Amino acid sequence: MKPHHLVCLALLCACGHPQTTDWPVYGGGKDARHYSPLSQIDTANVGRLAIAWTYHTGDDDKGTQIQVNGLEAGGVFYGVSPRLRLFALDAATGRVRWVFDPKGVGESSLSVCRGVALYKDERVFYSAGAHLFCVDAHTGRLIPDFGQNGILDLRTGLDRPVDKEYVASTTPGIIYKDLLIIGCRVDETTPAAPGSIRAYDVHTGQRRWIFHTIPWPGEPGYDAWADTAAWRHAGGANAWAGFSLDEANGIVYAPIGSASYDFYGGKRKGDDRYANCVLALDAATGKRIWHFQTVHHDLWDRDLPTAPVLVDIRKDNEPVAAVAQITKSGFVFLLDRATGQPLYPVREVAVDTVSELAGEKPWPTQPFPTFLPAFARSDAGGQEKNAVASGILRSGAPDADSLARRYAGYRKGLFVPPSREGTVIFPGFDGGGEWGGPSYDPATGYLYVNACEMPWVLTMVDVTPEPQKTNGEAGKALYVARCMSCHGPERQGGGNYPSLLRAPRDYTYARFTRLLETGRRMMPAFADLDSGQRQALASVILEDRKLQNRPFSGGKQQVDGYDAMPFTSTGYNKFLSRDGYPAITPPWGTLTAIDLNRGRIVWRDTLGDTPLGHTGTENYGGSVVTAGGLVFIAATRDARLRAYNKRDGRLLWETALPACGFATPTVYAVDGKEYLVIACGGGKLNTASGDAYVAFALP
């Protein structure tokens, strides 16, 4: 046997996955497999599933969501409400045991929460906005000997002052021995906090180690950044999507996002070392073991969207311990778990490097895996001479001719740089693969990946200095520099970012300026703006003509330095037809089973229905695979929960939900009875919000 495979075999033996009926970790286990060994619910009886209990949190509102993959351990189910109240239920009945409300601690800046971390059935760790809470698992009360009376402010401990910048945690950390390892979400524009990974003592809250994802002087990777001062001011490169852990070997695996600003890299020249990487760290010390970069010098917001999955495959008839990393581009990278080396060749392919944006220097090549097929279309016809004739544009759209003309004027193709005329981003900003993540079945070696196939158009504009004598003039300039990339040039919103056209009716001046200071949900805080700048921005967004005409009293926008970007985007704009559907041919959402051993797609189904038929829909949340032969998934815009035969992809069961289940299901057993729970929070994709956790079981 080859030495390389001896190492892998040792990892396989040491990394055994115990059979359990609980779901004690986000994603089911620290291996991120989304797998349950339960088989009571199987392919023969899944059609008999019925609602066992429903829990209503009672705090949903317009636009709220629940993206939570709930935990279950020892007969207790832990979840989080739309307004980020942590709760514990009897897992068999849904009866409430306790509720913890974070109100009063940064409640105005609440973001989404995707789950919690549980330490020995004793302590529950979860985040609401910038604050990490340590809650007694038995009583629902804060544990005062952790941090400051049970709370940590995640804006501290980053080795750089970021008190005026946006920091939040949406995906839970992971427990290794007595450490809680966490990442964070930061601003994707500038200024932005760094995305460093930290480990805290679970008992005291003391920081035990930090890994700088933007390397400091003397650290590995520092010399890869052309700007030797990047560690002082560059932001992003953050592990917002969670972690996986090889506990026996003490290795934590992190999926790293892009460096800020997402769409212009003229001030971060180089490959942006550790951004867009699968990163393996010593879980006890935070020291780098290896990294593998999936995008060089990202200009397209190609964050790694979910934790790498620890998989056991066979190559050349020998066992290999590996990690499988899905991407927003629809690729799967299969890497050796111990070394990070690709198990099959990855080609560095020459890509378009022509950018009309002054100062930009796109990286000349990008990595393409060769063994595993893509699970989504990754080019909306960039190589096609006639997009309509080739069937890429939806010929039945009511404005098909107009779409064809618009499409012809855009730049197209995977890894084509952003442009002023517009560049098609496909799969969209939300994938391909997204934060729900895949599931992996150790019995078959299949990886199940749900994907979105939505074209977006990225259009860049110049940020030019404008007169700033009045609040109106200054507010317009601030809007272009700080708000337009999310909310669009006409404040119409786009993607996951809401319209601001109702702001004059929905917000008072005091409430709006408070929002600028704290942020809320998808919106980062703008604490760096002074009172005069906040007043100017408020005058424009609230359409206060009287206030707009007053003299501007704030400081001038920075026109040089790292944070002053010469270009910004016009927002997150989907390429839609007049009837509101994607301008390309279906499918627009899929579920694919990939055989990791043989490198082939086993089956694929369109995921989700629209009034046009079985077209697929955008989908958020992941799947779960079970020993009972099933793949369960909600995730779709049509508010359904479905069960597929994991071997052949046949749809065996589906049911309507009270609101869209934009979350990953939880599977567990109590007293021999198997339960399937899905959070039904809706709120995304302009769907109705909900407040329900629904549990299914056999009668």
Side-chain angles (χ1 to χ4, degrees), residues 182-196:
I182 61 171
C184 57
R185 182 183 169 211
V186 300
D187 205 334
E188 298 185 356
T189 58
T190 57
S196 300

Side-chain angles (χ1 to χ4, degrees), residues 27 69 71 79 154 199 280 298 315 328 344 391 424 436 453 464-466 476 493 515 548 566:
N69 174 233
L71 302 192
L154 296 176
D298 186 6
K315 182 186 179 196
K328 288 184 178 180
Y344 296 93
V424 176
E453 297 197 10
T464 56
E466 296 183 12
K476 290 177 182 177
L515 178 67
Q548 288 176 17

Side-chain angles (χ1 to χ4, degrees), residues 388 393-408 578:
V388 176
L393 290 185
R394 188 159 58 91
S395 58
D399 51 346
D401 292 340
S402 173
L403 291 175
R405 287 192 297 270
R406 288 169 54 197
Y407 186 83
R578 193 167 60 218

